[in-house]
C-alpha cells in the first residue's frame, strides 16, 4: 500500500485529482470507478477545473460508481446518480451513456447486480477505482463482516452508516436501509485503487485499514491484498498510524517515475 500523507484534505484531493487526470491523459478511454460522499467532492471540483482550464478530456471515458441506495429513483436528490450528475458529470464533457450507477429501483435487483458486473467486464475492467472509507472501515457499502470476496450485491447498511449518512435525509427513519454496492472482490479487480480518508473521525478505520490485520471486520483492510493501492490521508486521519514517519520517508525518497507530481 502506498500511503501519502498531506497537510489537509484540500491538498489530498488535489493530489487525488492529479492521479486520476494522469490516468485519463495516458488512456483517453479509461474506465474510472467513482465514489460519492463528502470526501471526494473537492477532488471532483479539481477535475472540473482541469477540464475547464487545462482541457482534460472525458469524451471517451467510461465510469462505474460504487453504489446506490435501494429504492431511490435516479432523480431523487439523495440518490447517488443525482449526486454524480450534480457534482461531476454535468460539468465535464463526458457522454452520459458511458456513466454507470447501479439502478436502485430495478424490478429485479439481483439481476441488476449481475448485469453491473457484466457491464464492468464488457468495458474491459476498471483502470482506477476511487474510494472513500467509512468510519467503520467500509468501502463501497461493504459493511464489517461481509465477505472479502463479494461481488456486486445488495447489502444491509449498518447502524453506524445510517447515523453517519442520515443527516441529509432528515431522520434515520427516512433513510434507505439497503444499498447495491460493488463487492470487495469487484473493487479488488480494479487495476488500481485510490482511497481518500480525511479528518479525525477516520483515525481508527485508517489505522486498521493500513496497519491492522487483514480482516472482514475492517473491509478497507482488503486493500492490503491489492498490488497497486494508494491511500491519501491528511494529518488528522493519519494521526493513529504507528509507521507514519516511515510513509513520509518513502514519499520523500521516491524516484522520479514513482512520483505523482
Ligand atoms: C460512497 C461510498 C462510501 C463512502 C464512505 C465515506 O460511494 O461508497 O463508502 O466513501 O461512506 O463517506 P464520506 O466521504 O461521506 O465520509
Amino acid at each position: 500500500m502506498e500511503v501519502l500523507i498531506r497537510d489537509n484534505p484540500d491538498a489530498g484531493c488535489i493530489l487525488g485529482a492529479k492521479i486520476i487526470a494522469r490516468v485519463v491523459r495516458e488512456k483517453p478511454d479509461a474506465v474510472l470507478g467513482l465514489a460519492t460522499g463528502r470526501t471526494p467532492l473537492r477532488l471532483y471540483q479539481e477535475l472540473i477545473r482541469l477540464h475547464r482550464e487545462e482541457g482534460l478530456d472525458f469524451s471517451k471515458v467510461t465510469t462505474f460508481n460504487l453504489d446506490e441506495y435501494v429504492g431511490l429513483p435516479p432523480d431523487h436528490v439523495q440518490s447517488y446518480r443525482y449526486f454524480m450528475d450534480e457534482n461531476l458529470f454535468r460539468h465535464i464533457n463526458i457522454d452520459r451513456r458511458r456513466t454507470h450507477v447501479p439502478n436502485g429501483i430495478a424490478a429485479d435487483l439481483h439481476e441488476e447486480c449481475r448485469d453491473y458486473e457484466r457491464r464492468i467486464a464488457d468495458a474491459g475492467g476498471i483502470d482506477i477505482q476511487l474510494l472513500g472509507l467509512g468510519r467503520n472501515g467500509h468501502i463501497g457499502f461493504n459493511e464489517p463482516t461481509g465477505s472479502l470476496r463479494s461481488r456486486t450485491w445488495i447489502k444491509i447498511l449498518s447502524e453506524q452508516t445510517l447515523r453517519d449518512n442520515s443527516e441529509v435525509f432528515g431522520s434515520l427513519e427516512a433513510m434507505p436501509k439497503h444499498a447495491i454496492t460493488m463487492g470487495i472482490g469487484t473493487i479488488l479487480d480494479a487495476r488500481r485503487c485510490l482511497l481518500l480518508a480525511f479528518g479525525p473521525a477516520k483515525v481508527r478505520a485508517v489505522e486498521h485499514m493500513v496497519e491492522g490485520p487483514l480482516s472482514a471486520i475492517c473491509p478497507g483492510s482488503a486493500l492490503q491484498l491489492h498490488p497497486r493501492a494508494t491511500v491519501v490521508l491528511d494529518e488528522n486521519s493519519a494521526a493513529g498510524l504507528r509507521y507514519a514517519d516511515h510513509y513520509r520517508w518513502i514519499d520523500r525518497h521516491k524516484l522520479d517515475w514513482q512520483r505523482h507530481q
Side-chain angles (χ1 to χ4, degrees):
M1 220 183 249
E2 178 187 38
V3 181
L4 304 171
I5 304 168
R6 293 295 177 265
D7 290 344
N8 51 54
D10 205 54
C13 282
I14 287 172
L15 173 61
K18 198 173 273 182
I19 292 172
I20 292 178
R22 181 184 273 196
V23 172
V24 172
R25 286 201 182 97
E26 286 175 359
K27 187 179 176 192
D29 60 349
V31 179
L32 307 179
L34 299 177
T36 60
R38 288 147 286 219
T39 310
L41 276 173
R42 178 71 184 91
L43 182 151
Y44 292 149
Q45 285 166 10
E46 179 62 9
L47 286 181
I48 294 166
R49 191 194 68 76
L50 289 171
H51 166 66
R52 287 188 178 150
E53 295 176 17
E54 298 181 23
L56 186 63
D57 180 14
F58 290 91
S59 61
K60 297 193 179 71
V61 164
T62 298
T63 65
F64 286 92
N65 262 79
L66 282 167
D67 39 23
E68 179 61 282
Y69 290 115
V70 167
L72 296 196
D75 57 353
H76 190 288
V77 289
Q78 301 307 341
S79 77
Y80 283 171
R81 160 54 78 180
Y82 188 90
F83 176 102
M84 290 310 301
D85 285 344
E86 287 304 302
N87 292 296
L88 183 64
F89 298 152
R90 72 184 182 86
H91 306 285
I92 58 175
N93 67 333
I94 198 160
D95 179 347
R96 203 172 181 279
R97 288 166 304 182
R98 289 184 202 261
T99 66
H100 304 265
V101 180
N103 177 6
I105 53 163
D108 183 342
L109 288 170
H110 291 170
E111 179 49 28
E112 171 65 12
C113 295
R114 284 191 291 271
D115 186 56
Y116 207 63
E117 290 279 332
R118 273 195 296 269
R119 281 190 271 163
I120 294 172
D122 289 349
I126 292 172
D127 289 302
I128 185 163
Q129 176 66 55
L130 178 63
L131 298 157
L133 182 68
R135 245 145 54 111
N136 61 2
H138 74 210
I139 49 175
F141 272 137
N142 296 284
E143 302 286 28
T145 73
S147 160
L148 294 179
R149 296 187 65 178
S150 55
R151 310 303 305 186
T152 301
W153 196 236
I154 299 144
K155 303 284 179 188
I156 303 168
L157 302 179
S158 69
E159 277 186 278
Q160 169 86 65
T161 299
L162 291 178
R163 274 198 300 274
D164 289 346
N165 292 5
S166 61
E167 202 180 311
V168 290
F169 285 90
S171 74
L172 216 120
E173 291 67 41
M175 207 185 146
K177 310 288 183 296
H178 305 89
I180 298 186
T181 179
M182 280 186 203
I184 297 178
T186 321
I187 292 169
L188 292 181
D189 279 352
R191 287 183 270 283
R192 280 177 79 175
C193 286
L194 170 64
L195 183 143
L196 267 48
F198 307 124
K202 305 284 171 77
V203 165
R204 285 195 54 206
V206 164
E207 225 181 301
H208 192 159
M209 169 180 67
V210 178
E211 297 177 344
L214 172 64
S215 161
I217 208 73
C218 176
S221 68
L223 292 180
Q224 294 174 21
L225 290 172
H226 196 282
R228 221 173 157 203
T230 298
V231 172
V232 180
L233 308 173
D234 69 343
E235 292 294 346
N236 285 324
S237 62
L241 293 175
R242 282 178 63 196
Y243 298 97
D245 287 343
H246 168 69
Y247 311 132
R248 290 195 180 92
W249 168 270
I250 301 274
D251 203 6
R252 279 201 303 276
H253 292 87
K254 279 194 176 132
L255 299 169
D256 276 351
W257 59 270
Q258 292 174 312
R259 286 184 198 286
H260 296 291
Q261 336 292 333

